[in-house]
Amino acid sequence: MQIWHLHSEQPLRWEHWRDQSALYQIASGETHFLNPLGVAILMQLEFNSADLNQLCNHIAMEFDCLIDDDLRSQIATSLTRFDELGLIRCQYDAELAT
Amino acid sequence: MNVSDLTLIELRQRLATTGLCFGCGLFRIRLHTPVASIATLLHDLYAHYPVYSEQGIDDYRIKLDWTSWSRRWIRPIVRFTADSPAPFTDIPIARALPTLEWGTNWCIATRAHHLLMLHAAVVERHGRGLILPALPGYGKSTLCAALTHSHWRLFSDEFGLVNPEDSMLIPIPRLISLKNQSIDVIRAFAPSAHLGPSFHGTHKGTVAHVRPPFNSIARMNEPAKPYWIIFPRWQANAPLTLEPIPKDRAFMLLATNAFNYEVLGELAFGAVSTIVKNCDSYSLVYSDLQQAVRTIDELVCSAHD
């Protein structure tokens, strides 16, 4: 199973507005603009590493919605994008065990 | 002592020997040049800048010199350097002043990384700063010159300097560079504005410089807290519109407008966040300069009352 972590141990800096947030990643020096779903995913990973199921549970609670294929797909797409941007990385259970 | 307290002969001597050390905002600049015609222009346009002692550490050492002995006499050509070669082509003497001004801007833009540099004009009134970020050609300098001659204090027409530690605006009241039609627009708008000669055929067209008012230079060590961000855009025949900009969009526009956001990194993120948090942001489209100045005055007066 894939476990998602923040890419860097350095803290993220946030600025929140009504519909959008900005995130400064100290390790890369890059600023990213995020919608509320992206914010919720990254803030949860900032708090604790998680797999897709755990993230789906968290997001469903946060946004008061049901876990369905659409939600899973949106979260999975966001994770892939954050991985591409160097914000997060994944490890497999087996790697963690060693 | 200010530059105007020197006689023209004294100024020429300084420029040709030890260099003229003068202050512009936070910066101490030492200018060397043997070119007598430049001294005449500087005696007029730099009149209010304070002259500093020759002893001391300069922030920028700039030089405008003949390219060779012969080119002093035959089709005179000069070269701008700043401690080391600068990326400017040699230019005819007739266009030396614009190159000196652009060269000095280049020095600041490439080296003053202890400050966040916005590509913006900045003015101040009642202790409150107004930031006018814009792309070239959007009427930023024209609007800045008009406001500077309408009870606002000039901070800069080009560099919105921000102390990243406390997000305060730092004055750097350099000459305001006007281009093409803007020159006559400002002559008509503010007959009291002190303009230098027009330089034709530069890579930006015809250029003329407005001397900063004495008060702006006398108070150049007084920073101000930013209160408003107005993104101006001049558009021929457009009706005036002034529309609020949400804070997330203002952040994005201001961060991408800064010359050195990436260089300062986290400090820049914090400074832009603080500015956007503390400021009301607007976009302004205008064609009539009088109307634009009046609208900005009304906006500011309503906030002041």
Side-chain angles (χ1 to χ4, degrees):
Chain A
M1 181 173 291
Q2 289 179 313
I3 308 293
W4 293 95
H5 311 258
L6 287 188
H7 204 283
S8 166
E9 287 177 8
Q10 286 181 289
L12 302 173
R13 276 200 63 175
W14 292 95
E15 192 64 35
H16 300 287
W17 301 286
R18 200 175 56 183
D19 299 324
Q20 201 170 201
S21 298
L23 157 68
Y24 184 80
Q25 188 187 26
I26 294 170
S28 67
E30 289 185 353
T31 304
H32 302 274
F33 293 92
L34 300 165
N35 63 18
L37 175 64
V39 172
I41 293 170
L42 285 175
M43 288 191 116
Q44 179 60 19
L45 292 178
E46 204 176 11
F47 177 68
N48 218 344
S49 304
D51 62 27
L52 180 60
N53 287 332
Q54 290 167 325
L55 283 170
C56 287
N57 288 331
H58 172 75
I59 297 296
M61 277 209 307
E62 179 100 4
F63 290 87
D64 195 18
C65 61
L66 293 172
I67 301 171
D68 55 16
D69 287 348
D70 189 38
L71 182 69
R72 287 183 71 84
S73 164
Q74 276 191 57
I75 294 172
T77 303
S78 298
L79 289 169
T80 305
R81 184 70 186 131
F82 293 153
D83 189 11
E84 289 165 356
L85 289 170
L87 287 167
I88 61 172
R89 62 195 167 90
C90 78
Q91 279 183 302
Y92 291 87
D93 267 354
E95 287 177 47
L96 289 169
T98 57
Chain B
M1 179 171 64
N2 295 337
V3 172
S4 60
D5 295 321
L6 298 171
T7 65
L8 183 55
I9 292 169
E10 287 171 333
L11 177 61
R12 278 185 187 151
Q13 277 173 346
R14 281 196 191 223
L15 287 166
T17 56
T18 55
L20 170 72
C21 298
F22 68 98
C24 185
L26 287 178
F27 303 113
R28 177 190 155 100
I29 301 170
R30 184 184 296 252
L31 168 62
H32 281 95
T33 182
V35 182
S37 59
I38 278 288
T40 310
L41 288 171
L42 297 182
H43 197 250
D44 177 41
L45 293 172
Y46 281 22
H48 303 318
Y49 290 120
V51 176
Y52 292 159
S53 150
E54 290 157 19
Q55 313 297 321
I57 298 170
D58 306 312
D59 292 294
Y60 304 109
R61 295 166 72 93
I62 57 183
K63 193 171 186 179
L64 200 65
D65 204 352
W66 305 107
T67 52
S68 66
W69 184 85
S70 61
R71 294 314 292 267
R72 180 174 178 169
W73 308 106
I74 305 159
R75 284 185 286 163
I77 298 283
V78 293
R79 177 176 297 156
F80 175 87
T81 53
D83 291 324
S84 55
F88 294 93
T89 53
D90 299 340
I91 34 105
I93 182 65
R95 299 204 294 266
L97 183 69
T99 298
L100 176 65
E101 289 301 296
W102 288 324
T104 310
N105 283 350
W106 173 81
C107 289
I108 295 166
T110 53
R111 297 189 206 169
H113 294 308
H114 57 300
L115 301 169
L116 178 67
M117 288 183 271
L118 303 173
H119 188 197
V122 176
V123 290
E124 174 269 346
R125 193 168 178 183
H126 306 308
R128 297 176 174 190
L130 162 62
I131 306 172
L132 300 157
L135 294 171
Y138 276 34
K140 158 173 58 74
S141 292
T142 314
L143 187 55
C144 174
L147 290 166
T148 297
H149 292 85
S150 308
H151 313 296
W152 290 79
R153 175 160 67 109
L154 173 69
F155 272 43
S156 173
D157 78 312
E158 182 72 15
F159 287 111
L161 297 184
V162 179
N163 180 348
E165 303 292 342
D166 59 11
S167 301
M168 293 288 278
L169 296 166
I170 310 289
I172 177 168
R174 293 181 34 70
L175 306 187
I176 301 173
S177 173
L178 297 176
K179 287 138 213 136
N180 304 313
Q181 298 95 323
S182 298
I183 299 165
D184 285 338
V185 168
I186 290 300
R187 282 192 208 281
F189 179 89
S192 65
H194 189 103
L195 272 86
S198 293
F199 300 92
H200 305 284
T202 78
H203 67 283
K204 295 190 178 185
T206 300
V207 173
H209 301 91
V210 180
R211 183 171 77 183
F214 175 77
N215 182 50
S216 296
I217 295 181
R219 296 177 58 197
M220 67 184 187
N221 293 316
E222 294 178 31
K225 189 175 175 185
Y227 269 78
W228 303 274
I229 307 167
I230 297 180
F231 295 87
R233 182 168 195 175
W234 181 86
Q235 257 179 358
N237 306 317
L240 185 141
T241 56
L242 180 74
E243 289 174 357
I245 295 182
K247 289 196 182 291
D248 53 350
R249 175 126 183 91
F251 181 98
M252 208 180 302
L253 290 170
L254 203 61
T256 52
N257 162 280
F259 289 114
N260 60 344
Y261 180 90
E262 287 83 5
V263 177
L264 287 181
E266 190 179 5
L267 274 175
F269 180 85
V272 173
S273 300
T274 304
I275 292 171
V276 167
K277 195 176 290 172
N278 293 338
C279 288
D280 292 328
S281 301
Y282 301 87
S283 75
L284 171 72
V285 176
Y286 73 98
S287 55
D288 180 332
L289 189 60
Q290 297 268 10
Q291 195 186 16
V293 170
R294 203 166 45 243
T295 301
I296 291 173
D297 279 346
E298 285 167 5
L299 178 77
V300 166
C301 287
S302 64
H304 187 61
D305 298 341

